[in-house]
Structures are given as structure tokens and as C-alpha cells.
Amino acid sequence: MKRTKIGLVLGGGGARGLAHIGVIKRLTELGLSIDVITGASMGAIIGAAYAQTRDIGFIESRFRTFMTGKEYQSIKGRALDLKEEKADSFLHFISKTVKRRIVINLAANRMSLVSDKFLNNTLTQLLTDEPIESLKIPFACTALDLVSGRETVFRRGSVLKAVQASAAIPGFLPPVSDDGKRLVDGAVINNFPIEAAKSLGADFTIACDVSPELEPDPPLNNVIDIFIRAHHAAVNRLKDLLVQKADVLLKPNIGSINWMDFEQIDTLIKQGEAVVDENKALIMEKLAAKQGFWQRLKSHLLSTN
């Protein structure tokens, strides 16, 4: 009988994506093999690191090292403090800082608020650059090409460049140039590359969504508020459509943890573990049903030969 291949699809969400570590921990503890992994933004970072190492403990320790590193600490301590505003996403942060006219002044002369060295130095602590095709687990990640306005899916080539592109938050980090493309955060166009997982051979997909919920009845006091609300509503609708393609959707109970709040790593990992525990029966039930489909298909093919 054909073994059902499990594909894990990890969405973006900044520090909130640390919950993916807990998800992977618990899935592997249940004895489930992750045969394919895809992701966007932070999901691409953690997904690529796991596809390369198959060592979730190593990935957790690397993130703890990152939190005490100079790059993260220097960004935390700047006057433009990324955690000063209690925003649950980068766009909320932008909406608030625009009101203070900080970002407007910077935007006139800069492509991003932070140098690409910040991301590059972080990624080199987690990843060794090699072709995606050489990773221990088949992997893919998404990015948005600003030139064509279309999705780019990385299934081969430099894993470091692919993840850099997928995690380049527009406005926060500069676009990544690649073969005439200007690539930014994959979460903008496809936060849940489920079809990519299937194209790599996944028969059964588990998607993990760490994005914040759409805030009910937010304040709409100015043009920026209205623009941000319209964007969030569109992104939320796209998310709802994308996750319908997954066999199982996991939504860790992260609450309002800030997208830059890496210090919440313990809570985030625990919530990742908890959401798998809560959905263990559902995962096993749906996986068994999928395996039963392959058994029935095999029996049918044998009977017709």
C-alpha cells in the first residue's frame, strides 16, 4: 500500500511563527513523519531549517541565541522601537508610526527601515546555504515579485536566497533581487503554499496559521486607518480561501502577542504543542481516512487488472 505522505504548511507571522516549533515538536513526538514542508515568511525560515536539519531542538536553540544577539538587541533599543506600539502585525505598526510622521520622513530616501544584514545574519545562524534540492525534506517557499505582481515559488536553487526573499517584509526589509525579479514576503501573496506541498508529493496537508484574527470593529478615524482595515480584510479573506485546501488546519492560541515579541518564545512553543494535542484525534482520524482511500484505490486497480 502506498504510504500517505504528510505535508506541513507553515504560515508567516513574525515572532508568532515560533509556535511552528511547538507544532513540529509534537507532530514528531506523535510518530508522524513530515515528508514535505512548505512555508511563507517566518514559516519559510523554520520550515527550511527543519528541512535541512530534521532537528527541531537545534532550531529552538538557534532562535534563543538570536534573541540575545547584537542585531536583535540593537533593533529593540532604537528610538524607532518595533515593540513600542502594541500592534499585532507590521501593517498595524506602520499605521501607528505614520501618524507620528517617522516613517514618512524615512520613506523618502530609504527602501526599508532595516538593512538586509539583519535578516541575513539571522538566517546564517539557522541555515547553511545549499540547493533546495539537496535538503533532507522536500521544501518550497513563496515570495511576491513586485515587478510582475505574481507569486514566485522556490522549489530549487539557493535555500538561503529563497528564504531571504520569502521573509523580506515589504517596507521593513529591502526586496531581494533575483533574475530580474524584486522579491518580498511570500505571506503577502500566498501565506499557505498548500498547492506547492502537493506538487512536491504531499497526499495529506496540515497547515499552521499563526496570523492574527481580524479585529472586530476597529477605530476608523482617518485615511490610514481605513486603508489598513481594507488591506487586512482582503488578506483575511484570501487566508480563508487558501486554508480550505488543507486537510487539517491548526490555529495556535497566540492571542495578541506582538509580531516582534521573540521573548515570548516559551509561550509560543507551548501553544504550538497545545494545538497539536487538541487536534490529535482529528489529525489521526483524517489521516486514517486518507490512507483508507489509497487502500481502496489499490484494491480497485488490482480488481480491474
Side-chain angles (χ1 to χ4, degrees), residues 69-114:
K70 292 180 180 179
E71 287 81 13
Y72 179 64
Q73 292 301 317
S74 66
I75 284 182
K76 258 181 50 176
R78 289 178 187 178
L80 184 58
D81 189 350
L82 301 179
K83 290 180 59 182
E84 178 182 340
E85 296 289 358
K86 299 302 181 182
D88 59 15
S89 72
F90 181 70
L91 283 175
H92 273 160
F93 161 72
I94 286 291
S95 72
K96 293 176 183 293
T97 52
V98 163
K99 295 172 188 175
R100 299 186 321 213
R101 302 186 65 83
I102 295 176
V103 172
I104 288 178
N105 292 335
L106 289 174
N109 300 303
R110 294 173 60 173
M111 289 285 290
S112 62
L113 298 179
V114 175

Side-chain angles (χ1 to χ4, degrees), residues 16 19 23 208-211 213 250-257 267-276 278-279:
R16 297 164 64 92
V23 167
C208 185
D209 176 15
V210 295
S211 61
E213 296 291 341
L250 302 177
K251 179 75 176 175
N253 183 21
I254 297 173
S256 59
I257 290 179
T267 297
L268 289 161
I269 290 175
K270 286 178 182 178
Q271 289 304 321
E273 294 171 337
V275 77
V276 175
E278 292 161 7
N279 289 276

